[in-house]
Structure formats: C-alpha cells, structure tokens
Amino acid sequence: NSNEIELLDNMEDCLYDNELYDCGLIRKNKVFFPPKNTSMLMVYDTDSHKVEYRELYSEEIKKQIDFKPSYFGHLVYKDGEDNLYFFNREYPIVTILKENHIVQIQSLEVADKIVLQKIYCENDGILYFPTSNTNMIITYDIKLSKFNQIVISNKIQGFSSCIYDNGYLILMSTDAKHIIKYKIDSAEETYFRMDIGEIDVDDLWQIKKQKDKYLIIPLLDVKKEDRMKCLYVLDRNFNITEIKDIDEHYSVM
C-alpha cells in the first residue's frame, strides 16, 4: 500500500549460485524454502522477519544419496495435519517436518538413476511422481509413510506429467508421442499414439483435465525458433478435437 520495499535478508550466510531455492511451504508464521543450488533449508519468520538456515540432511544421509546442490531441487507437500514433506527430485527420499519438529526420513532403493518431474498428482493420501527419464512412477503413501513404485511395461523413456482421473493415472510421455492410461487397481495399461509433431529434447508438453476433456499445453518451451504455440483439446478417448493458437491474440502486437 505504501510502495515501499523492505530488504528482509541479504542471505549473506548462503553460498551464492543461480536459483538457490525452490517453491516454499507456509506453516503458521513460517515459510520453508527447500534448497536447489545450495545445501540448507531456509526458514523465514513472517512475524520477526528473521531468516534462518537448517540442514535438511544429516551427513550420513548425504553420503547415502550422494547429495549435491542441484537445479532439480525438491518437491514440497503439506498434509492436513500441517506436516511438511520435502521430496528430493534426484533420489526417492523424503524429509518430513512434523508439527512438533520431529524429523523423519524415508527412502526407496531403486536400481536406476531417476529424476522426478515437477508435475505430480495426488489422490486419497497417495502421491504419484512421474520420472522424467525412466518408465517408473514413484508413489508415496502419506498414511503408511511408505514409498513404492509403478513400472510401466512399455519402455517409455520418461514422463512429462501425470494426472489422477477416477482410478486411473493419465501419463504424458516425455517425447509427447504417447499418452498412457494406467488403471491403478489392476495395472492395466492402454496406449494412445499422439500426433503433435517432433519436439526439442529440452521441451515438454503437459497434460491436464478440464471437465470431460483433456488439454495438452506447453510446460517447457525453450526453443529459440518454432515455438510451441498451440493448445490441443482431446476428448475422453484422447482424440484431438480442437487446436487453439495460444499466441493468436498477442501476435498482432
């Protein structure tokens, strides 16, 4: 209201690099920012305007997961009891900050090096994390405090995003050539071939649901030319029914 800017903290205690922290979680009067290109959790107190730094992992855990500050960082989740969950995107391990400040850590041994995608989904206390580089979906059950994994039988080399839809996981392949409909209770898999053209290795499409339709929209568009400027509308059988130019309104400007 006053147009004044206040510097809360210059973060001088934090080693500098690009994109230090990931998206934070709010609990009461504190905001918790998990590390990306740094090693410690940052906690900001909205009442005192103080910033403090906390270790997210013990030295033993760091050795176990070969922890290094990374661009991939962490995914965050808060449950109905205000417990905070920090999932490492490069190793299936979670740090839980409970309301009474007890920290619990669980992990899952996997044979392959994995990277969890930013876009994940949740249903009835189970989180589903698609991996960007394997045919696995890592699951975490909040109620049981347990990791597990779903392996897609087709050798899909990674997923860009997933959504939960009435007992199914709907997965978009990283190369945007397939949509996989996975029935959770029976592990039944159905494949739908997509025809939206080749994409650059650094680009990603995201699948979303809107009422009785599915949408495919750009998630990452980093090309310098030939932009991903369309939005695809799909019916319940994943047939493309409409293509919309999302830049049309602005292209005349």
Side-chain angles (χ1 to χ4, degrees), residues 4-204:
E4 296 178 355
I5 297 174
E6 179 184 1
L7 176 64
L8 301 176
D9 193 273
N10 60 14
M11 295 164 68
E12 62 185 3
D13 297 327
C14 192
L15 293 175
Y16 173 78
D17 205 332
N18 191 31
E19 296 193 46
L20 285 170
Y21 292 96
D22 227 319
C23 297
L25 282 172
I26 300 172
R27 183 168 70 190
K28 295 182 178 176
N29 66 323
K30 288 185 170 60
V31 190
F32 298 78
F33 294 98
K36 287 187 78 172
N37 288 306
T38 185
S39 59
M40 289 196 290
L41 183 77
M42 182 171 72
V43 184
Y44 167 59
D45 189 309
T46 58
D47 292 338
S48 66
H49 299 312
K50 299 291 186 183
V51 171
E52 63 173 319
Y53 302 92
R54 301 182 189 177
E55 290 287 355
L56 196 59
Y57 304 110
S58 67
E59 291 303 317
E60 181 182 355
I61 293 295
K62 286 181 180 179
K63 290 179 182 178
Q64 174 190 332
I65 67 175
D66 190 25
F67 174 74
K68 297 179 181 66
S70 164
Y71 160 81
F72 292 108
H74 295 75
L75 300 173
V76 293
Y77 180 81
K78 181 168 73 169
D79 67 19
E81 298 177 356
D82 268 2
N83 298 313
L84 308 182
Y85 298 76
F86 302 91
F87 294 91
N88 190 311
R89 287 185 62 198
E90 293 185 277
Y91 192 96
I93 188 168
V94 60
T95 303
I96 308 169
L97 270 61
K98 290 184 168 280
E99 182 65 22
N100 56 5
H101 303 296
I102 295 174
V103 177
Q104 297 181 348
I105 291 182
Q106 284 108 25
S107 62
L108 175 70
E109 293 293 332
V110 291
D112 300 317
K113 177 76 174 177
I114 65 163
V115 176
L116 303 183
Q117 283 287 22
K118 274 281 192 180
I119 306 298
Y120 68 92
C121 59
E122 182 265 343
N123 179 66
D124 195 24
I126 300 178
L127 308 179
Y128 299 91
F129 301 102
T131 58
S132 67
N133 59 333
T134 75
N135 60 333
M136 287 192 303
I137 298 97
I138 302 297
T139 69
Y140 184 77
D141 192 317
I142 299 294
K143 299 172 186 174
L144 300 178
S145 299
K146 184 179 180 180
F147 277 104
N148 213 326
Q149 56 186 313
I150 295 171
V151 179
I152 300 299
S153 60
N154 190 298
K155 295 299 182 182
I156 299 290
Q157 290 302 309
F159 309 97
S160 68
S161 53
C162 76
I163 53 177
Y164 176 88
D165 185 12
N166 195 29
Y168 291 87
L169 287 182
I170 311 298
L171 299 141
M172 184 93 194
S173 66
T174 303
D175 60 9
K177 292 182 178 178
H178 292 91
I179 290 175
I180 299 93
K181 186 176 182 180
Y182 179 86
K183 193 171 184 180
I184 295 172
D185 61 1
S186 65
E188 176 187 346
E189 301 171 14
T190 310
Y191 296 85
F192 302 87
R193 175 76 183 184
M194 296 304 301
D195 186 19
I196 57 176
E198 297 293 326
I199 61 172
D200 189 87
V201 66
D202 294 320
D203 292 334
L204 287 176

Side-chain angles (χ1 to χ4, degrees), residues 195-241:
D195 186 19
I196 57 176
E198 297 293 326
I199 61 172
D200 189 87
V201 66
D202 294 320
D203 292 334
L204 287 176
W205 292 95
Q206 175 186 0
I207 189 164
K208 297 180 73 70
K209 189 181 179 191
Q210 184 184 59
K211 296 182 179 178
D212 60 342
K213 301 176 181 177
Y214 297 100
L215 304 178
I216 297 177
I217 63 174
L219 174 61
L220 286 178
D221 177 10
V222 296
K223 291 182 182 176
K224 294 180 176 63
E225 298 177 358
D226 191 23
R227 291 202 52 233
M228 298 161 65
K229 60 181 183 179
C230 291
L231 177 152
Y232 295 87
V233 182
L234 283 60
D235 63 19
R236 295 290 296 176
N237 295 314
F238 303 100
N239 299 307
I240 297 175
T241 60

